[in-house]
Amino acid sequence: MEPVSHPLIQPSGGPSSRPSGRPSGKPDGPPPNRPPDNGFSLDLRRLTVLRELERRGSLARTAEALHLTPSAVSQQLAALARDLGVPLTERDGRGVRLTGQARVLLGHAEVIAAQLERARADLAVYGEGGRGAVTVGCFSSGILGLLPAALRALRNRLPHLRVDVVEAEPPDLFTALDGGQVDVAVAVDFAAAPPHTDRRYTREDLLTDVLDVALPPGHPLAERAEVPLRELATDVWIVGNALSCCGAVTRSVCAAAGFTPDIRHDVNDWAALAGLVEAGQGVALVPRLVRSLYAHRELVLRPAQGEPPSRNVFVAVRAGAERDPVVAAVREELRTAAARVPA
């Protein structure tokens, strides 16, 4: 499936355009609260800006996610409010918050977006399937441990399909999914990921990825069959960035064990992390998805004692897109590959 931007219900300027009105970075004042006339129309690109504001919570973060300026975001929201004749934002200190009318509109936005995806999927079914392109967004250890088997199977099944892979994590991964830059998102459940109840997406759990303790050779706990995490409270830790899924999960696992890890090495690359552990620079938690990388490393991998720390890996597509034959094939091969990941 060729990644495309959402079509318009009625053409209008995109998020980067500068509609008429005040060019300040502050939202326009509320338009008259009048019912839409017979010319009621929606620009889905502007609606995307409103949806992103709901997710990000501020003009600045919305602008960063959409690669716009805060002024452009404000102008798009003001233009959408003028189109509809209702106020969509109101001032909240130095920021803005959504009005009740905005939240009503967002409820309809989910239905509109899902129906457009279904229409596009039906057209793909009508035409020739198995051609075109699809973009899969995935976190790094998923690219290492899950995607290769799925991509090999897809190449044999749909040899004319182009598959592009983008390394990304929530929330940016789902901003790209919303905007059509990504068609299939493979992600880990953590604070930055959308909740299971988010109706914008059709999602499916793929696997539970267990995290093991990585210890340097000669570590006092290296001979244990299982490692009590609490006994690593005084060790130096090697952990990924706090905004990454593994970095966030490691911090929460240590907190659940009753301590805050002493993080001296902030490393997101799994091979680099293994090298630091091997060199005796600290301990770490590593997912079993990347365990094959450590087969020839001089480090010790041990399960954690008690309930093993783990993370839930899932696949999500835009609601309605699951009917697209190409997207359906990608999801099926991901399920098959996940079922074969060693527990």
Side-chain angles (χ1 to χ4, degrees):
M1 166 180 90
E2 296 284 357
V4 295
S5 59
H6 285 303
L8 304 182
I9 290 180
Q10 177 167 316
S12 185
S16 61
S17 66
R18 302 179 61 87
S20 61
R22 291 183 297 166
S24 84
K26 299 179 181 179
D28 287 341
N33 194 351
R34 57 173 173 77
D37 58 25
N38 292 333
F40 180 83
S41 65
L42 279 177
D43 182 330
L44 291 194
R45 290 175 293 188
R46 288 173 178 162
L47 199 56
T48 296
V49 175
L50 184 66
R51 294 173 76 189
E52 196 65 33
L53 177 62
E54 179 191 33
R55 169 180 292 162
R56 301 286 177 164
S58 78
L59 294 174
R61 288 193 290 270
T62 300
E64 182 180 5
L66 297 176
H67 306 290
L68 300 172
T69 65
S71 176
V73 169
S74 294
Q75 291 171 13
Q76 290 299 310
L77 295 172
L80 182 60
R82 287 194 299 272
D83 288 345
L84 300 177
V86 297
L88 298 177
T89 60
E90 55 192 13
R91 296 188 183 279
D92 183 17
R94 294 186 176 182
V96 298
R97 62 170 173 258
L98 298 179
T99 64
Q101 293 99 319
R103 297 197 179 278
V104 169
L105 176 61
L106 286 166
H108 289 285
E110 294 171 359
V111 177
I112 293 169
Q115 192 58 47
L116 285 172
E117 287 296 334
R118 293 187 189 102
R120 187 181 52 74
D122 287 345
L123 290 172
V125 172
Y126 184 84
E128 182 180 3
R131 292 184 179 271
V134 64
T135 300
V136 179
C138 186
F139 58 105
S140 63
S141 49
I143 293 174
L144 287 166
L146 181 62
L147 286 195
L151 295 178
R152 283 194 295 269
L154 277 171
R155 183 177 58 198
N156 292 332
R157 177 175 175 177
L158 301 173
H160 299 294
L161 176 67
R162 168 177 166 174
V163 182
D164 296 334
V165 175
V166 176
E167 182 181 342
E169 294 186 13
D172 293 337
L173 173 57
F174 285 86
T175 297
L177 183 61
D178 289 341
Q181 292 83 31
V182 164
D183 304 300
V184 179
V186 182
V188 169
D189 269 321
F190 70 112
H196 284 245
T197 54
D198 196 321
R199 294 183 299 168
R200 288 174 292 185
Y201 313 112
T202 297
R203 58 172 285 162
E204 178 182 3
D205 292 340
L206 291 175
L207 63 99
T208 298
D209 186 26
V210 174
L211 303 176
D212 291 318
V213 180
L215 304 169
H219 190 280
L221 300 179
E223 299 304 316
R224 298 271 193 100
E226 296 181 338
V227 175
L229 286 177
R230 189 69 181 82
E231 294 189 27
L232 298 174
T234 58
D235 280 75
V236 171
W237 280 75
I238 307 164
V239 180
N241 185 282
L243 298 179
S244 68
C245 60
C246 252
V249 170
T250 295
R251 286 167 172 81
S252 64
V253 165
C254 291
F259 68 95
T260 300
D262 178 11
I263 301 171
R264 301 192 192 173
H265 308 288
D266 186 339
V267 176
N268 287 315
D269 179 84
W270 293 110
L273 183 147
L276 288 173
V277 173
E278 194 175 33
Q281 297 304 300
V283 301
L285 289 178
V286 297
R288 291 186 182 174
L289 271 176
V290 299
R291 190 162 186 161
S292 61
L293 289 178
Y294 301 155
H296 304 293
R297 290 280 192 176
E298 293 184 5
L299 51 78
V300 178
L301 292 176
R302 293 286 182 266
Q305 190 176 74
E307 184 68 23
S310 62
R311 55 190 189 160
N312 181 58
V313 179
F314 67 95
V315 57
V317 299
R318 293 181 294 275
E322 68 276 6
R323 297 169 63 173
D324 183 292
V326 169
V327 169
V330 173
R331 294 176 71 210
E332 181 180 340
E333 298 303 342
L334 284 169
R335 284 195 299 272
T336 302
R340 294 173 179 167
V341 172

